[in-house]
Amino acid sequence: MKFSKEDIYNALDSITAPGEGKSLVESKSIGNIVIFGNEVVVDVVISNPTLQAKKKVEVEIMKAIHDRVYQKIDVKVNVKVNAPAPDKKPSNLIKGKKIEGIQNIIAIASGKGGVGKSTITANLAITLSKMGFKVGVLDADVYGPSMPIMFDVADEKPIAITVDGRSKMKPIESYGVKLLSLGFFTQPDQAVIWRGPMASKALNQLIFDAEWGELDFMLIDLPPGTGDIHLSIVQAVPISGAVIVSTPQKIALADAKKGVAMFEQKNISVPVLGIVENMSYFTPAELPDNKYYIFGKDGARNLAEDLKTAFLGEVPLVQSIREAGDVGHPVALQNDTPLEEAFINITKNLVTQLVKRNDDLPPTEVVKITTMAGCSAVNK
């Protein structure tokens, strides 16, 4: 069977390195291709020096040529490692990349768990979608992914689709929102026992190896705290801004303050668009005009003033919010209700702050951690 270099290049264009988003051909990793009858010699250059990476590239190249060109081709792969040449810049400079087609990436964070961050994220996403925006949600809470339940797609599994000759994950779509979560790839009773680098690699694949298409907003639901996952996200993609979720009591506000401090670090410098106060007050169904401030009053509002950031709004402690999330039908879907109005107001304030941020500040670059000071404690 006759075949050409172009046939080999087309086959290699289907190989995507995990977390990279580019093929071997696009990244110009193919050094040379030589054909001798039914024998093909491929020279490939990679930056990962590990034996595992070399073997993986070799196997994938052989498989792609056999599957896409001709099964009986004798393939020889020469793998060369070409680590980036040192320059005058710090050796531990970490760069990420923009996701094509996504206009604004907003991180939803909280310093403390249990404040309803995922509930706020889901309802913000749905409200933005109802306003006519194209929205995606990345569930980055790798140890407790809850978005599949909240969007009533816990039993769904993303499928692989071919885009420009390469395999990509297709996000699950629910209520007009595109969604990817580690929860789609684990069993409900399966604990995710991963170290930070493994979790970060999984998130990179959900970000870069997925076909998100055109999005006006991507909301990233971060895990509680200020740890490795947060740094990995801000190093991987240019975050347009962050939203902090807190409840009104002092112990939650203290952790929310740390969350703000993390994004405002000099080495991170992600604009904080504002603070949302969840569980602000309790109103019994039988006493709709009464407000009981169980966790304190105006705590997040006062914190926003102290930190000179916007107060985006408050969400009451209402049983129906919890019930709606549990059954996978977030309350923002309920038309002409006080809760829908609450999320509309918060979303409008968020968009206003984002427009102001885009007018006043240059586009956010990915975070470049140049020293270990980028990972140190910060007093705020």
Side-chain angles (χ1 to χ4, degrees):
M1 175 181 177
K2 290 185 178 181
F3 52 89
S4 64
K5 283 188 179 182
E6 185 178 356
D7 296 326
I8 304 299
Y9 273 111
N10 289 337
L12 299 183
D13 197 38
S14 66
I15 302 174
T16 304
E20 292 295 327
K22 288 185 178 181
S23 72
L24 293 177
V25 175
E26 275 184 305
S27 60
K28 299 182 179 179
S29 298
I30 304 301
N32 194 23
I33 295 175
V34 180
I35 299 176
F36 301 101
N38 273 359
E39 180 182 354
V40 173
V41 179
V42 179
D43 295 332
V44 60
V45 180
I46 63 174
S47 58
N48 189 333
T50 65
L51 181 62
Q52 180 183 5
K54 295 178 186 178
K55 191 64 178 176
K56 182 175 184 293
V57 168
E58 182 179 351
V59 170
E60 288 189 348
I61 288 175
M62 294 175 67
K63 185 177 186 300
I65 293 175
H66 288 154
D67 290 349
R68 293 174 176 266
V69 183
Y70 184 46
Q71 182 66 39
K72 295 184 179 180
I73 294 177
D74 183 10
V75 182
K76 181 180 179 182
V77 182
N78 297 321
V79 182
K80 179 183 176 182
V81 176
N82 185 18
D87 55 20
K88 296 181 180 179
K89 296 180 180 180
S91 60
N92 58 340
L93 186 67
I94 301 175
K95 292 185 177 182
K97 48 196 167 184
K98 183 180 185 296
I99 309 176
E100 292 299 326
I102 299 180
Q103 300 303 315
N104 299 284
I105 302 176
I106 299 176
I108 314 295
S110 64
K112 181 177 177 59
V115 297
K117 169 183 51 60
S118 296
T119 297
I120 298 298
T121 302
N123 283 285
L124 284 178
I126 286 173
T127 304
L128 285 167
S129 179
K130 289 172 68 174
M131 290 178 174
F133 294 108
K134 297 176 182 178
V135 186
V137 172
L138 173 66
D139 188 355
D141 193 349
V142 295
Y143 302 112
S146 54
M147 286 300 162
I149 295 175
M150 290 191 170
F151 280 85
D152 196 24
V153 287
D155 296 327
E156 300 286 339
K157 299 293 180 186
I159 63 173
I161 59 174
T162 301
V163 180
D164 297 330
R166 297 193 301 279
S167 180
K168 294 271 191 176
M169 280 182 286
K170 182 181 180 181
I172 300 298
E173 190 162 343
S174 179
Y175 307 127
V177 175
K178 294 181 179 179
L179 175 67
L180 274 180
S181 168
L182 189 66
F184 292 132
F185 306 97
T186 58
Q187 298 300 319
D189 57 349
Q190 179 183 354
V192 179
I193 308 173
W194 285 354
R195 293 190 184 274
M198 188 178 294
S200 300
K201 183 179 179 180
L203 286 177
N204 273 355
Q205 288 188 266
L206 292 182
I207 295 171
F208 295 111
D209 291 349
E211 177 55 28
W212 289 100
E214 297 290 328
L215 295 180
D216 298 304
F217 294 93
M218 173 185 276
L219 304 186
I220 301 181
D221 182 27
L222 290 170
T226 54
D228 186 66
I229 298 300
H230 304 74
L231 284 176
S232 297
I233 289 292
V234 297
Q235 290 168 10
V237 292
I239 305 294
S240 305
V243 172
I244 305 298
V245 179
S246 181
T247 47
Q249 73 267 40
K250 288 185 179 180
I251 192 169
L253 295 171
D255 289 334
K257 190 174 182 180
K258 295 174 185 176
V260 174
M262 177 190 70
F263 288 109
E264 291 184 344
Q265 279 194 68
K266 182 179 179 181
N267 291 41
I268 294 180
S269 192
V270 171
V272 175
L273 301 175
I275 299 176
V276 175
E277 184 178 271
N278 194 24
M279 308 182 206
S280 296
Y281 54 84
F282 171 63
T283 296
E286 63 274 14
L287 298 171
D289 296 327
N290 289 23
K291 293 182 178 180
Y292 299 94
Y293 297 93
I294 297 174
F295 299 118
K297 185 177 181 181
D298 294 333
R301 184 188 297 272
N302 293 333
L303 178 64
E305 292 179 3
D306 292 343
L307 299 180
K308 295 180 174 56
T309 191
F311 179 68
L312 300 179
E314 59 185 23
V315 179
L317 177 60
V318 179
Q319 182 176 334
S320 61
I321 296 179
R322 190 272 304 164
E323 292 174 338
D326 284 351
V327 299
H329 196 270
V331 292
L333 291 166
Q334 301 173 9
N335 296 324
D336 302 321
T337 65
L339 292 176
E340 183 206 30
E341 186 65 28
F343 281 109
I344 287 175
N345 290 335
I346 292 171
T347 305
K348 285 181 178 178
N349 290 336
L350 169 60
V351 173
T352 298
Q353 292 301 316
L354 181 63
V355 170
K356 181 180 178 182
R357 170 255 176 279
N358 289 341
D359 287 343
D360 295 346
L361 297 174
T364 304
E365 295 184 4
V366 292
V367 171
K368 303 175 180 67
I369 300 298
T370 57
T371 68
M372 285 307 294
C375 305
S376 61
V378 172
N379 294 323
K380 187 70 178 179

